[in-house]
């Protein structure tokens, strides 16, 4: 029998808590504990989940084969590098690092020690995305909206690095190929940093993606629409559902002088609607199961360290374009 992978979690905020909660019953995993610099918080989570709270990072690493890094982005390198230096496989929450220099230092240590680095772009495991994969065929235009009400969390960075990076990674993985042009703008509304932003990405394939992210919305929204020659995918990432619309078989493409008369029931008579619904599995659980498999050497991680770095580089480029167009909001 394959021995169970000993895994722990560093950082027990909202997301770290859920990592620890799920790891308790992931198959093939032994949850060896948590660590948080806030001893009171660590003790609270340990009592609630029935796990061990280790007093130091080193104490947790002494018991682990793999860890999840769920601390603030500015501390990712300080946690990941000591783990990787020991050859401990590491899942780092997105964004991988606050800058590319830190990301490169993490990758250098991981590659030298032969340790797996996976980046926590959890939307890759969304039920709607997984259900849509069989229908994807050369996307040419993608539009995404990620809107959230304001909270004090992560206001030390712009909304691009906080929220839009989810869709930067997701769209890049769906479309494929390099980005050849970026146009972006954004506005600081409630914080000194940009709170609502839009980016238009052009890919070498000819595809175009239009991404909007806001943390000052009155309502929550996580939707993505994908247009391609074979049809149109509309995905609701919030509930993991979607649909694929295409012309019914036997009906030629509409246009020119051969445009048929539209029946009384409208386009519903011409268009086939295919419901997309995943298995309902919690995306974070699927991500952790994928990390377990990668740490065992059985398959590559869904989002490698290199892929995480690429998403970070693209996101930072979007932020740079926005800075070119947004006046400095700080007082002179």
């Amino acid at each position: 029998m394959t021995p169970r992978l000993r895994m722990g979690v560093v950082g027990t905020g909202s997301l770290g808590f859920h990592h620890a909660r799920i790891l308790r019953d992931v198959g093939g995993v032994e949850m060896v504990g948590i660590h948080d610099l806030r001893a009171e918080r660590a003790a609270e989570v340990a009592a609630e989940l029935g796990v061990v709270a280790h007093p130091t990072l080193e104490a947790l690493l002494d018991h682990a084969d793999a860890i999840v890094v769920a601390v603030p982005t500015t501390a990712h390198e300080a946690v990941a590098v000591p783990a990787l230096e020991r050859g401990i496989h590491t899942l780092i929450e997105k964004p991988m690092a606050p800058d590319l220099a830190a990301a490169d230092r993490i990758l250098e240590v991981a590659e030298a020690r032969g340790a797996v680095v996976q980046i926590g772009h959890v939307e890759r495991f969304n039920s709607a995305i997984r259900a849509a994969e069989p229908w994807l065929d050369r996307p040419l235009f993608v539009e995404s909206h990620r809107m959230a009400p304001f909270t004090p969390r992560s206001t030390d960075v712009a909304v691009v690095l906080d929220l839009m990076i989810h869709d930067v990674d997701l769209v890049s993985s769906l479309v494929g190929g390099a980005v050849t042009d970026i146009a972006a703008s954004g506005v600081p509304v409630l914080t000194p940093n940009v709170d609502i932003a839009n980016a238009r990405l052009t890919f070498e394939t000819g595809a175009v993606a239009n991404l909007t992210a806001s943390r000052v919305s009155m309502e929550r929204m996580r939707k993505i629409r994908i247009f391609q020659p074979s049809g149109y995918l509309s995905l609701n990432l919030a509930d993991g559902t979607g649909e694929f619309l295409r012309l019914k078989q036997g009906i030629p493409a509409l246009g020119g002088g051969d445009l048929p008369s539209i029946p009384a029931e409208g386009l519903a008579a011409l268009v086939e609607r295919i419901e997309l619904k995943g298995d309902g599995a919690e995306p974070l659980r699927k991500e952790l199961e994928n990390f377990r498999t990668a740490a065992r050497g059985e398959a590559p991680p869904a989002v490698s360290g290199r892929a995480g770095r690429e998403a970070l580089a693209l996101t930072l480029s979007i932020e740079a374009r926005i800075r070119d167009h947004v006046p400095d909001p700080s007082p002179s």
Side-chain angles (χ1 to χ4, degrees):
M1 293 181 60
T2 303
R4 291 199 296 170
L5 189 73
R6 300 175 303 162
M7 289 185 63
V9 177
V10 184
T12 55
S14 176
L15 192 52
F17 172 87
H18 289 294
H19 276 292
R21 171 183 62 81
I22 294 169
L23 277 176
R24 295 176 303 166
D25 59 1
V26 170
V29 168
E30 178 188 354
M31 173 55 171
V32 296
I34 60 173
H35 169 65
D36 197 303
L37 288 176
R38 301 165 299 167
E40 185 176 341
R41 171 62 178 170
E44 176 186 321
V45 171
E48 182 173 351
L49 299 182
V51 299
V52 176
H54 295 273
T56 64
L57 173 62
E58 291 71 22
L60 174 57
L61 298 182
D62 286 341
H63 294 83
D65 304 309
I67 64 166
V68 175
V69 177
V71 298
T73 303
T74 52
H76 282 183
E77 182 183 4
V79 174
V81 167
L84 294 167
E85 286 176 339
R86 295 190 184 204
I88 293 172
H89 309 297
T90 305
L91 169 62
I92 306 172
E93 267 304 333
K94 69 82 197 165
M96 179 182 183
D99 53 60
L100 295 180
D104 287 339
R105 288 190 292 268
I106 290 170
L107 290 174
E108 183 180 2
V109 174
E111 290 166 4
R113 299 295 297 165
V116 170
V117 172
Q118 180 167 327
I119 308 304
H121 286 285
V122 72
E123 291 286 36
R124 295 273 198 110
F125 299 90
N126 189 290
S127 291
I129 295 297
R130 291 186 285 117
E133 284 174 353
W135 304 102
L136 289 171
D137 181 23
R138 294 181 297 121
L140 292 177
F141 179 64
V142 181
E143 188 163 41
S144 75
H145 288 86
R146 185 172 297 266
M147 324 292 279
F150 181 77
T151 68
R153 183 191 65 82
S154 298
T155 54
D156 58 325
V157 296
V159 71
V160 177
L161 202 58
D162 180 21
L163 296 181
M164 187 182 283
I165 191 171
H166 281 292
D167 300 307
V168 169
D169 171 74
L170 192 55
V171 168
S172 296
S173 70
L174 296 174
V175 172
V179 172
T180 58
D181 186 64
I182 300 171
S185 61
V187 181
V189 179
L190 297 179
T191 77
N193 296 300
V194 169
D195 294 313
I196 183 168
N198 175 265
R200 183 178 176 88
L201 310 179
T202 302
F203 291 80
E204 62 183 358
T205 61
V208 171
N210 189 44
L211 316 179
T212 300
S214 169
R215 60 185 177 198
V216 289
S217 175
M218 296 299 291
E219 58 182 314
R220 294 188 182 276
M221 178 188 295
R222 289 160 52 206
K223 292 186 176 181
I224 186 167
R225 295 182 293 170
I226 304 165
F227 299 85
Q228 56 192 33
S230 61
Y232 155 57
L233 291 145
S234 177
L235 309 178
N236 187 335
L237 303 183
D239 62 16
T241 63
E243 58 184 1
F244 179 44
L245 297 148
R246 64 180 179 180
L247 280 174
K248 290 181 177 179
Q249 291 188 348
I251 297 179
L254 308 181
D258 300 325
L259 184 66
S261 59
I262 303 299
E265 58 268 39
L267 285 176
L270 306 176
V271 175
E272 177 184 17
R273 177 183 176 276
I274 300 170
E275 183 180 10
L276 303 177
K277 192 169 184 179
D279 56 14
E282 193 172 1
L284 198 62
R285 180 179 297 275
K286 300 296 289 187
E287 179 181 72
L288 288 167
E289 290 172 347
N290 177 258
F291 179 50
R292 172 206 60 198
T293 301
R296 286 176 170 175
E298 298 169 355
V303 188
S304 68
R306 288 289 171 189
R309 185 197 186 279
E310 290 173 9
L312 175 63
L314 187 51
T315 303
L316 292 175
S317 293
I318 292 170
E319 285 199 331
R321 298 296 193 283
I322 291 174
R323 285 196 299 271
D324 290 341
H325 294 89
V326 178
D328 184 355
S330 60
S332 56

